[in-house]
Amino acid sequence: RKEVEQDPGPFNVPEGATVAFNCTYSNSASQSFFWYRQDCRKEPKLLMSVYSSGNEDGRFTAQLNRASQYISLLIRDSKLSDSATYLCVVNTDKLIFGTGTRLQVFP
Amino acid sequence: GEEVAQTPKHLVRGEGQKAKLYCAPIKGHSYVFWYQQVLKNEFKFLISFQNENVFDETGMPKERFSAKCLPNSPCSLEIQATKLEDSAVYFCASSQTGTGTYGYTFGSGTRLTVV
């Protein structure tokens, strides 16, 4: 079993749609959690950290459920520029990456 | 600098040749990490450094891969006798902390193609 599991997608959604990605992790000792975004084999860029209390950054909302070892990302009002691969990342003693969920937003 | 600088951007090597990749971390970041991303999007951790000391090398293939971070020089990742399966994008990242509490900042990667 992979340490961090994500649905690979692709998720194809129209502009303006709301889309949600989920992720599960296996190591209960994991300390911090992130969503990264990767465009077309470029470097991954930190989108946001994820906290148990939930956190929001504009159209993006992230949530962590430690009991279920589950992380989510919600994107509201999708834009064409949101098209990318979204990587769920978990920190144990180093960052462990999920394989990513591909999002394609169409006009 | 304010970015992680990786060179070269692209590298092509024949099987059996040596490949050497370089990474300059962000100024003030003590930790450097190397990851390998192969076609299926999987990021594999290779090795990390705290300054010039190896911090964690649990992901390094022992036989052909080596890495160094020397004072006042870019860090390097070297692959002796490259194989076809070494073809990947190699990302370097740096961080102020070793625990990744605030995530890492990644360089733009070196795409290695072994032919």
Side-chain angles (χ1 to χ4, degrees):
Chain A
R1 186 188 168 189
K2 291 188 191 302
E3 288 190 69
V4 180
E5 302 235 33
Q6 292 183 251
D7 180 344
F11 284 61
N12 296 306
V13 303
E15 274 188 290
T18 295
V19 62
F21 304 140
N22 304 315
C23 162
T24 56
Y25 61 95
S26 60
N27 189 340
S28 59
S30 299
Q31 300 155 14
S32 46
F33 309 87
F34 309 93
W35 284 100
Y36 273 75
R37 170 190 169 134
Q38 187 178 30
D39 294 88
C40 263
R41 310 294 287 172
K42 293 188 176 177
E43 73 271 25
K45 292 188 176 175
L46 180 63
L47 181 66
M48 58 199 303
S49 301
V50 189
Y51 306 109
S52 298
S53 53
N55 49 303
E56 190 174 305
D57 182 2
R59 299 180 293 108
F60 299 83
T61 301
Q63 187 74 51
L64 165 67
N65 184 322
R66 281 190 185 267
S68 305
Q69 295 180 200
Y70 172 93
I71 304 164
S72 64
L73 176 68
L74 184 77
I75 305 176
R76 290 181 298 278
D77 189 23
S78 298
K79 311 287 184 195
L80 294 175
S81 56
D82 294 335
S83 299
T85 296
Y86 290 83
L87 299 160
C88 177
V89 183
V90 169
N91 176 41
T92 50
D93 56 354
K94 55 185 167 286
L95 294 192
I96 307 294
F97 286 77
T99 51
T101 300
R102 178 151 169 69
L103 171 65
Q104 185 68 50
V105 181
F106 58 88
Chain B
E2 291 301 312
E3 62 176 28
V4 177
Q6 287 190 251
T7 56
K9 288 197 182 309
H10 301 279
L11 193 55
V12 180
R13 287 289 179 265
E15 268 196 290
Q17 290 187 317
K18 185 172 74 175
K20 196 164 185 179
L21 292 59
Y22 297 92
C23 168
I26 290 173
K27 212 170 186 179
H29 283 192
S30 307
Y31 293 86
V32 170
F33 307 85
W34 286 97
Y35 283 81
Q36 178 195 57
Q37 186 179 29
V38 294
L39 282 176
K40 290 188 178 178
N41 247 28
E42 295 195 23
F43 278 82
K44 181 188 173 189
F45 169 77
L46 296 175
I47 190 169
S48 60
F49 288 85
Q50 180 184 12
N51 297 312
E52 61 265 28
N53 304 307
V54 174
F55 188 64
D56 181 345
E57 59 181 347
T58 51
M60 277 290 264
K62 296 291 184 193
E63 289 178 352
R64 299 178 297 106
F65 285 62
S66 62
K68 290 179 190 176
C69 278
L70 299 175
N72 303 313
S73 296
C75 296
S76 64
L77 176 69
E78 189 166 328
I79 309 172
Q80 302 285 343
T82 52
K83 297 184 177 181
L84 294 175
E85 63 258 32
D86 297 332
S87 295
V89 181
Y90 291 82
F91 287 105
C92 173
S94 72
S95 172
Q96 289 177 308
T97 71
T99 55
T101 306
Y102 306 109
Y104 307 160
T105 303
F106 283 83
S108 56
T110 294
R111 183 177 295 277
L112 173 64
T113 303
V114 181
V115 297

mmCIF file of all heavy atoms in Angstrom, chain B residues 86-106:
data_model
loop_
_atom_site.group_PDB
_atom_site.id
_atom_site.type_symbol
_atom_site.label_atom_id
_atom_site.label_comp_id
_atom_site.label_asym_id
_atom_site.label_seq_id
_atom_site.Cartn_x
_atom_site.Cartn_y
_atom_site.Cartn_z
ATOM 1 N N ASP B 86 17.050 5.217 -15.184
ATOM 2 C CA ASP B 86 17.406 6.454 -14.461
ATOM 3 C C ASP B 86 16.786 7.676 -15.131
ATOM 4 O O ASP B 86 16.836 8.782 -14.569
ATOM 5 C CB ASP B 86 18.928 6.636 -14.405
ATOM 6 C CG ASP B 86 19.627 5.526 -13.645
ATOM 7 O OD1 ASP B 86 18.988 4.941 -12.735
ATOM 8 O OD2 ASP B 86 20.789 5.227 -13.962
ATOM 9 N N SER B 87 16.207 7.498 -16.327
ATOM 10 C CA SER B 87 15.559 8.612 -17.018
ATOM 11 C C SER B 87 14.409 9.121 -16.161
ATOM 12 O O SER B 87 13.499 8.363 -15.798
ATOM 13 C CB SER B 87 15.020 8.169 -18.385
ATOM 14 O OG SER B 87 16.073 7.810 -19.241
ATOM 15 N N ALA B 88 14.469 10.402 -15.813
ATOM 16 C CA ALA B 88 13.495 10.983 -14.888
ATOM 17 C C ALA B 88 13.791 12.468 -14.787
ATOM 18 O O ALA B 88 14.791 12.959 -15.332
ATOM 19 C CB ALA B 88 13.616 10.343 -13.500
ATOM 20 N N VAL B 89 12.931 13.175 -14.062
ATOM 21 C CA VAL B 89 13.241 14.545 -13.661
ATOM 22 C C VAL B 89 13.720 14.492 -12.219
ATOM 23 O O VAL B 89 13.070 13.876 -11.365
ATOM 24 C CB VAL B 89 12.022 15.483 -13.789
ATOM 25 C CG1 VAL B 89 12.413 16.899 -13.377
ATOM 26 C CG2 VAL B 89 11.477 15.475 -15.204
ATOM 27 N N TYR B 90 14.861 15.096 -11.978
ATOM 28 C CA TYR B 90 15.432 15.121 -10.632
ATOM 29 C C TYR B 90 15.232 16.517 -10.054
ATOM 30 O O TYR B 90 15.705 17.505 -10.596
ATOM 31 C CB TYR B 90 16.921 14.749 -10.681
ATOM 32 C CG TYR B 90 17.116 13.299 -11.045
ATOM 33 C CD1 TYR B 90 17.085 12.884 -12.373
ATOM 34 C CD2 TYR B 90 17.283 12.336 -10.060
ATOM 35 C CE1 TYR B 90 17.225 11.545 -12.715
ATOM 36 C CE2 TYR B 90 17.437 10.992 -10.382
ATOM 37 C CZ TYR B 90 17.399 10.607 -11.706
ATOM 38 O OH TYR B 90 17.535 9.284 -12.037
ATOM 39 N N PHE B 91 14.468 16.558 -8.958
ATOM 40 C CA PHE B 91 14.181 17.824 -8.302
ATOM 41 C C PHE B 91 15.000 17.944 -7.030
ATOM 42 O O PHE B 91 15.136 16.998 -6.257
ATOM 43 C CB PHE B 91 12.698 17.921 -7.935
ATOM 44 C CG PHE B 91 11.777 18.139 -9.100
ATOM 45 C CD1 PHE B 91 11.002 17.101 -9.584
ATOM 46 C CD2 PHE B 91 11.681 19.386 -9.709
ATOM 47 C CE1 PHE B 91 10.145 17.297 -10.657
ATOM 48 C CE2 PHE B 91 10.826 19.589 -10.788
ATOM 49 C CZ PHE B 91 10.068 18.537 -11.259
ATOM 50 N N CYS B 92 15.504 19.128 -6.839
ATOM 51 C CA CYS B 92 16.170 19.484 -5.599
ATOM 52 C C CYS B 92 15.251 20.443 -4.859
ATOM 53 O O CYS B 92 14.539 21.250 -5.484
ATOM 54 C CB CYS B 92 17.499 20.157 -5.940
ATOM 55 S SG CYS B 92 18.372 20.847 -4.549
ATOM 56 N N ALA B 93 15.247 20.381 -3.550
ATOM 57 C CA ALA B 93 14.452 21.297 -2.744
ATOM 58 C C ALA B 93 15.273 21.732 -1.551
ATOM 59 O O ALA B 93 16.209 21.029 -1.133
ATOM 60 C CB ALA B 93 13.165 20.616 -2.269
ATOM 61 N N SER B 94 14.931 22.881 -1.001
ATOM 62 C CA SER B 94 15.616 23.305 0.217
ATOM 63 C C SER B 94 14.600 23.791 1.243
ATOM 64 O O SER B 94 13.458 24.125 0.911
ATOM 65 C CB SER B 94 16.676 24.376 -0.067
ATOM 66 O OG SER B 94 16.091 25.628 -0.391
ATOM 67 N N SER B 95 15.029 23.794 2.500
ATOM 68 C CA SER B 95 14.144 24.147 3.594
ATOM 69 C C SER B 95 14.957 24.693 4.751
ATOM 70 O O SER B 95 16.126 24.338 4.927
ATOM 71 C CB SER B 95 13.371 22.894 4.025
ATOM 72 O OG SER B 95 12.642 23.115 5.194
ATOM 73 N N GLN B 96 14.322 25.527 5.555
ATOM 74 C CA GLN B 96 14.990 26.017 6.767
ATOM 75 C C GLN B 96 15.043 24.937 7.842
ATOM 76 O O GLN B 96 15.914 24.953 8.700
ATOM 77 C CB GLN B 96 14.231 27.223 7.330
ATOM 78 C CG GLN B 96 14.376 28.466 6.480
ATOM 79 C CD GLN B 96 13.562 29.615 7.036
ATOM 80 O OE1 GLN B 96 12.366 29.469 7.285
ATOM 81 N NE2 GLN B 96 14.197 30.748 7.242
ATOM 82 N N THR B 97 14.063 24.010 7.786
ATOM 83 C CA THR B 97 14.019 22.960 8.807
ATOM 84 C C THR B 97 14.113 21.595 8.149
ATOM 85 O O THR B 97 13.753 21.421 6.983
ATOM 86 C CB THR B 97 12.711 23.016 9.621
ATOM 87 O OG1 THR B 97 11.636 22.583 8.778
ATOM 88 C CG2 THR B 97 12.423 24.414 10.119
ATOM 89 N N GLY B 98 14.571 20.629 8.919
ATOM 90 C CA GLY B 98 14.682 19.277 8.382
ATOM 91 C C GLY B 98 13.379 18.514 8.463
ATOM 92 O O GLY B 98 13.203 17.505 7.807
ATOM 93 N N THR B 99 12.456 19.025 9.275
ATOM 94 C CA THR B 99 11.219 18.280 9.473
ATOM 95 C C THR B 99 10.157 18.638 8.445
ATOM 96 O O THR B 99 9.092 18.051 8.433
ATOM 97 C CB THR B 99 10.654 18.571 10.874
ATOM 98 O OG1 THR B 99 10.508 19.982 11.023
ATOM 99 C CG2 THR B 99 11.589 18.027 11.933
ATOM 100 N N GLY B 100 10.456 19.603 7.601
ATOM 101 C CA GLY B 100 9.492 19.947 6.552
ATOM 102 C C GLY B 100 8.224 20.571 7.084
ATOM 103 O O GLY B 100 7.193 20.517 6.419
ATOM 104 N N THR B 101 8.298 21.172 8.230
ATOM 105 C CA THR B 101 7.105 21.737 8.861
ATOM 106 C C THR B 101 6.414 22.759 7.969
ATOM 107 O O THR B 101 5.190 22.855 7.951
ATOM 108 C CB THR B 101 7.490 22.407 10.193
ATOM 109 O OG1 THR B 101 8.193 21.461 10.990
ATOM 110 C CG2 THR B 101 6.265 22.897 10.931
ATOM 111 N N TYR B 102 7.196 23.496 7.232
ATOM 112 C CA TYR B 102 6.632 24.545 6.385
ATOM 113 C C TYR B 102 6.712 24.178 4.907
ATOM 114 O O TYR B 102 6.564 25.030 4.039
ATOM 115 C CB TYR B 102 7.364 25.866 6.644
ATOM 116 C CG TYR B 102 7.354 26.237 8.103
ATOM 117 C CD1 TYR B 102 8.507 26.166 8.876
ATOM 118 C CD2 TYR B 102 6.166 26.617 8.721
ATOM 119 C CE1 TYR B 102 8.482 26.477 10.219
ATOM 120 C CE2 TYR B 102 6.140 26.929 10.067
ATOM 121 C CZ TYR B 102 7.299 26.859 10.811
ATOM 122 O OH TYR B 102 7.278 27.161 12.137
ATOM 123 N N GLY B 103 6.925 22.903 4.632
ATOM 124 C CA GLY B 103 7.070 22.483 3.246
ATOM 125 C C GLY B 103 8.456 22.812 2.729
ATOM 126 O O GLY B 103 9.295 23.336 3.445
ATOM 127 N N TYR B 104 8.704 22.433 1.496
ATOM 128 C CA TYR B 104 9.990 22.712 0.882
ATOM 129 C C TYR B 104 9.781 23.609 -0.328
ATOM 130 O O TYR B 104 8.702 23.625 -0.925
ATOM 131 C CB TYR B 104 10.662 21.439 0.352
ATOM 132 C CG TYR B 104 10.836 20.285 1.305
ATOM 133 C CD1 TYR B 104 11.034 19.003 0.796
ATOM 134 C CD2 TYR B 104 10.842 20.438 2.687
ATOM 135 C CE1 TYR B 104 11.210 17.920 1.627
ATOM 136 C CE2 TYR B 104 11.005 19.346 3.526
ATOM 137 C CZ TYR B 104 11.196 18.093 2.988
ATOM 138 O OH TYR B 104 11.379 17.014 3.810
ATOM 139 N N THR B 105 10.832 24.309 -0.740
ATOM 140 C CA THR B 105 10.830 25.046 -2.006
ATOM 141 C C THR B 105 11.647 24.254 -3.007
ATOM 142 O O THR B 105 12.795 23.887 -2.724
ATOM 143 C CB THR B 105 11.445 26.442 -1.830
ATOM 144 O OG1 THR B 105 10.712 27.146 -0.821
ATOM 145 C CG2 THR B 105 11.363 27.224 -3.130
ATOM 146 N N PHE B 106 11.059 24.000 -4.152
ATOM 147 C CA PHE B 106 11.697 23.154 -5.159
ATOM 148 C C PHE B 106 12.358 23.975 -6.249
ATOM 149 O O PHE B 106 11.878 25.059 -6.603
ATOM 150 C CB PHE B 106 10.662 22.225 -5.806
ATOM 151 C CG PHE B 106 10.291 21.060 -4.941
ATOM 152 C CD1 PHE B 106 9.339 21.200 -3.943
ATOM 153 C CD2 PHE B 106 10.904 19.827 -5.107
ATOM 154 C CE1 PHE B 106 9.006 20.126 -3.125
ATOM 155 C CE2 PHE B 106 10.567 18.751 -4.297
ATOM 156 C CZ PHE B 106 9.617 18.910 -3.304
#
